[in-house]
Amino acid sequence: HHHHHHPHPPPLTNPRSPRSALPPMPSLTSTASGSLRHTPQDLPRRPPLDNLLSTDLLPPRGAVVQSGGFMAQKTDKMLRADDADARWAAVEHLKATREDTQAEHADSVAQLLKDDDELVQWNAAEMLGNMGEVAGGYAGDLAALLSHTNKDLRKVAAKALGRMGPAGGQFAEQIAGLLTSDDASMRVTAVQALGHLGPFASPAAPHVAQCLSDNDHHVRYAALESLWNLGPEALISQIPAMISLLSHTDSQIRWVGMELLKRMGPGAESEAERVAQLLDSDDADVRLAAVEVLAAIGQGGGTNQQHIRRITALLQDSNTKVRWAVVKATKSWDGGQCKAHLEDVVQLLGHEEPPVRRVAAEVMSWIVLHLGMTDIKAITNVLLTDKVQGETVRNILEPLKKTVQMPNLSTQQSNLAAKFTAALLPHPDVNVRQLGLEVLCRVAAVAVAGVGDAIAACLRDPDARVRTAAVSALEQPASVEKRHMEVLKTLMNDQDTVVRCAAANSLRRIQHPASDRYFSSHHSYSSHSHNNHHYGSSIGSTFMGSGIGSSKRSALSSPSSGTLALPLVAQVAMAGLEPHTLYCSILSPNLQVLVLVDRHLVNKYVCQG
């Protein structure tokens, strides 16, 4: 709270004495107020309200709250004053008062709808509109203004009727009459008024629907929102009009039809067949609109198989946007629909056009999560043959990598994903194997029968990247079985440094005693040079048990010990290890110190060695 702002409310701009001391009201015919009617052209037509309030024509603002009696008489008198400015100001003043005060004077205000001054009429209409349904009894008087010669009066009357609920709804047809106006702002006002009336204006639905293809985009947008507000019955009656917009030449008008039909979703199911006919259009934009609308209609699972087959066929469309719209549409399919179209999609995976294979792969990565185990076996058998290129299989796994991390994925779905991916691990393409293992790193389902073994088989892969990925995929402690441990242990002597590190790290995470050997600081340096099978088992132990006695090891952590690092590095170099081993092994805390002590010396010596 800002205490430095006014601790007391600011004084009123027009301080007045209490009511008992009100000065007598001047006669309304006095020249002072009369002269207001004949102001020069350059002055505003109506004086600012504060001036009027200070001329004692009106009760002070504070006093209005003490409604009734004297005040009410005074306001009524003002509303019937001879001077148009006074009448206008009285209405303006009433607008700022409480609702019950307004209701007391509503009759007098309604009389002003027939006033001979258009500004007074306008203000009276606006006030009744602001009152809403309470003023419904005056709807007939307002409706009379809909045919007034003054455009602004027609507008304000339509707006006011729009706020009067059932009473205003009786005049929906008259309001709709304004939609033929040449003035776009008038059409917007009329359409919005009908929208505010909601279901009460449903008889005017055809008129609103005509505005969906208006040449002014403000009118189109207002018509879209209003038609939506008219309620389900009105909407359903206008579906044919919306469908005809889908093949309109103007993209913005097509969008209006699409937007409404998509919002209706399964509610527009009765007319799905008419939308489906547009799938054969020669115009890509029309096909696109039809796909998007059918996808929205089918979200309730209501789209019939025939439509889905026709949509799936559009995965081969020549237009990129249409193809990807189909991909998006498939994401609303249920299990039955996925199964029904499995064969179509599998065939497209071997299509001669790369863009078609690409979208088919994207669809397949989604379908996989909605099938049974037998279907998955059948698919993976096809994917392992040379009918389908490795690149296509990677395009199936890539989206799966993201999908398996979605929080709303069911256990069954993540198990399916794990089974599917594991079945692809024997693939001849090394990139497929690596990507498959990356997917399995992200699925919390390695415990699924057979998946662990498939990963373990990759530990013996000829490619080092695949071996490293396999170590990571096995890392969920719950799923590492004894027999996998043995394979991991053998990897600690792998010829690839990264694999050795990954294996040791993995064993360390699951607290396997073998990792202690890798990270221990008690192995003497000589044991490494003599026993070749130990060669990779650790650089950590080489360093920590090297020529420097254990008593001096603490000295490594002091910044001034750069000189101490030199004999160490020289010994690493002599041990014949690869230069980058040093960086891979930063996992060991003591080593980190060494590299921080003198990075450039380390580089210099290791590279020269």
Side-chain angles (χ1 to χ4, degrees):
H1 294 290
H2 303 291
H3 295 295
H4 55 272
H5 283 317
H6 312 292
H8 306 296
L12 285 170
T13 45
N14 181 19
R16 297 288 293 272
S17 48
R19 198 170 75 178
S20 55
L22 279 178
M25 280 184 68
S27 71
L28 286 173
T29 47
S30 76
T31 49
S33 60
S35 65
L36 285 172
R37 298 292 288 166
H38 309 291
T39 46
Q41 286 305 303
D42 56 343
L43 281 176
R45 173 72 179 78
R46 289 278 178 253
L49 197 52
D50 275 341
N51 292 358
L52 278 168
L53 289 178
S54 60
T55 57
D56 289 332
L57 285 172
L58 283 169
R61 283 175 189 171
V64 175
V65 181
Q66 313 160 340
S67 152
F70 176 70
M71 281 293 127
Q73 287 169 11
K74 199 162 180 183
T75 308
D76 262 346
K77 201 168 175 185
M78 295 299 314
L79 289 169
R80 289 196 293 275
D82 297 342
D83 181 71
D85 292 322
R87 297 195 296 275
W88 179 87
V91 177
E92 192 67 18
H93 177 71
L94 265 177
K95 279 186 194 168
T97 60
R98 291 203 319 233
E99 286 172 14
D100 53 350
T101 314
Q102 290 181 352
E104 280 174 44
H105 299 288
D107 265 344
S108 314
V109 174
Q111 293 294 311
L112 297 180
L113 292 174
K114 302 186 179 76
D115 200 276
D116 51 7
D117 185 288
E118 288 176 357
L119 275 164
V120 174
Q121 287 176 288
W122 189 94
N123 225 12
E126 188 174 68
M127 180 182 143
L128 292 170
N130 291 347
M131 288 172 68
E133 296 190 19
V134 186
Y138 308 107
D141 302 325
L142 279 164
L145 291 179
L146 291 174
S147 49
H148 198 282
T149 50
N150 183 316
K151 182 177 76 179
D152 294 314
L153 277 177
R154 295 199 294 276
K155 261 191 207 172
V156 76
K159 221 174 193 168
L161 285 167
R163 293 175 173 172
M164 291 188 172
Q170 295 174 349
F171 300 98
E173 288 287 349
Q174 280 100 305
I175 298 174
L178 300 178
L179 295 175
T180 54
S181 161
D182 296 339
D183 176 7
S185 67
M186 174 72 79
R187 298 197 298 276
V188 169
T189 305
V191 163
Q192 284 175 339
L194 292 167
H196 286 310
L197 288 170
F200 298 120
S202 55
H207 302 294
V208 178
Q210 277 180 333
C211 293
L212 292 172
S213 52
D214 195 279
N215 55 12
D216 183 283
H217 74 101
H218 297 290
V219 181
R220 289 198 297 270
Y221 193 74
L224 186 159
E225 294 301 337
S226 296
L227 191 55
W228 183 249
N229 290 339
L230 294 185
E233 284 177 23
L235 275 169
I236 290 171
S237 69
Q238 297 310 309
I239 292 178
M242 297 175 212
I243 294 176
S244 63
L245 295 182
L246 295 181
S247 41
H248 200 283
T249 47
D250 183 329
S251 61
Q252 291 180 316
I253 294 178
R254 275 200 305 275
W255 179 85
V256 169
M258 265 167 68
E259 182 66 16
L260 268 171
L261 287 163
K262 276 157 77 173
R263 280 195 201 180
M264 287 183 72
E269 207 184 315
S270 54
E271 300 289 338
E273 184 46 51
R274 293 183 59 170
V275 181
Q277 287 168 4
L278 299 175
L279 292 172
D280 303 327
S281 164
D282 295 336
D283 183 339
D285 291 317
V286 177
R287 296 196 298 274
L288 177 67
V291 169
E292 290 193 16
V293 170
L294 279 174
I297 291 177
Q299 264 165 351
T303 319
N304 68 39
Q305 300 300 347
Q306 202 51 43
H307 296 161
I308 295 195
R309 182 141 277 151
R310 286 167 76 177
I311 293 178
T312 317
L314 289 180
L315 283 171
Q316 304 176 62
D317 198 279
S318 54
N319 182 289
T320 315
K321 282 185 183 168
V322 175
R323 289 196 302 272
W324 284 99
V326 176
V327 171
K328 201 171 161 198
T330 57
K331 298 201 172 167
S332 60
W333 291 356
D334 56 24
Q337 292 170 332
C338 285
K339 208 173 161 72
H341 301 287
L342 183 56
E343 279 176 34
D344 298 348
V345 179
V346 171
Q347 268 189 319
L348 291 177
L349 290 173
H351 197 277
E352 70 272 10
E353 292 284 331
V356 175
R357 295 199 296 270
R358 177 79 187 78
V359 285
E362 192 83 24
V363 173
M364 182 54 79
S365 78
W366 179 257
I367 288 185
V368 162
L369 301 172
H370 299 83
L371 297 172
M373 286 297 180
T374 45
D375 298 315
I376 286 205
K377 192 86 196 90
I379 300 170
T380 48
N381 286 344
V382 175
L383 294 180
L384 289 170
T385 64
D386 51 7
K387 283 185 198 160
V388 179
Q389 295 183 8
E391 186 192 0
T392 307
V393 183
R394 290 203 302 277
N395 285 335
I396 298 175
L397 292 173
E398 200 59 65
L400 207 55
K401 211 156 90 172
K402 294 192 193 79
T403 319
V404 292
Q405 290 176 292
M406 290 190 333
N408 56 357
L409 211 63
S410 69
T411 319
Q412 188 198 354
Q413 286 178 322
S414 37
N415 289 353
L416 281 167
K419 273 286 203 195
F420 172 75
T421 313
L424 292 175
L425 290 181
H427 198 282
D429 181 335
V430 57
N431 295 315
V432 169
R433 299 198 295 274
Q434 190 183 350
L435 188 54
L437 289 163
E438 283 174 21
V439 173
L440 289 169
C441 281
R442 291 169 166 76
V443 185
V446 184
V448 181
V451 173
D453 288 338
I455 297 174
C458 291
L459 292 172
R460 299 191 176 82
D461 197 275
D463 190 288
R465 285 175 309 165
V466 177
R467 294 198 297 276
T468 313
V471 172
S472 311
L474 267 184
E475 247 175 33
Q476 290 150 346
S479 63
V480 180
E481 301 170 39
K482 274 219 170 62
R483 58 178 190 278
H484 304 152
M485 291 273 205
E486 295 310 312
V487 190
L488 270 177
K489 270 170 23 190
T490 61
L491 286 184
M492 284 170 54
N493 299 328
D494 194 278
Q495 79 267 25
D496 184 274
T497 322
V498 181
V499 177
R500 289 199 301 277
C501 284
N505 246 338
S506 197
L507 288 166
R508 185 191 208 179
R509 282 206 186 87
I510 42 192
Q511 293 164 345
H512 190 277
S515 66
D516 297 345
R517 192 169 78 241
Y518 185 90
F519 291 104
S520 87
S521 48
H522 306 300
H523 269 323
S524 69
Y525 170 64
S526 58
S527 72
H528 282 268
S529 40
H530 302 312
N531 306 354
N532 260 345
H533 70 278
H534 253 105
Y535 146 66
S537 86
S538 145
I539 198 161
S541 51
T542 312
F543 268 25
M544 297 315 142
S546 58
I548 305 175
S550 53
S551 56
K552 292 193 190 155
R553 195 175 312 127
S554 56
L556 266 178
S557 53
S558 98
S560 60
S561 60
T563 49
L564 257 180
L566 293 182
L568 259 157
V569 174
Q571 286 179 3
V572 176
M574 290 186 302
L577 297 165
E578 303 142 63
H580 65 274
T581 311
L582 192 63
Y583 297 106
C584 293
S585 300
I586 291 176
L587 313 158
S588 162
N590 314 48
L591 242 168
Q592 217 154 357
V593 175
L594 165 70
V595 177
L596 292 174
V597 169
D598 206 329
R599 173 63 70 76
H600 71 271
L601 284 173
V602 171
N603 282 342
K604 187 170 149 194
Y605 275 80
V606 174
C607 297
Q608 284 176 355

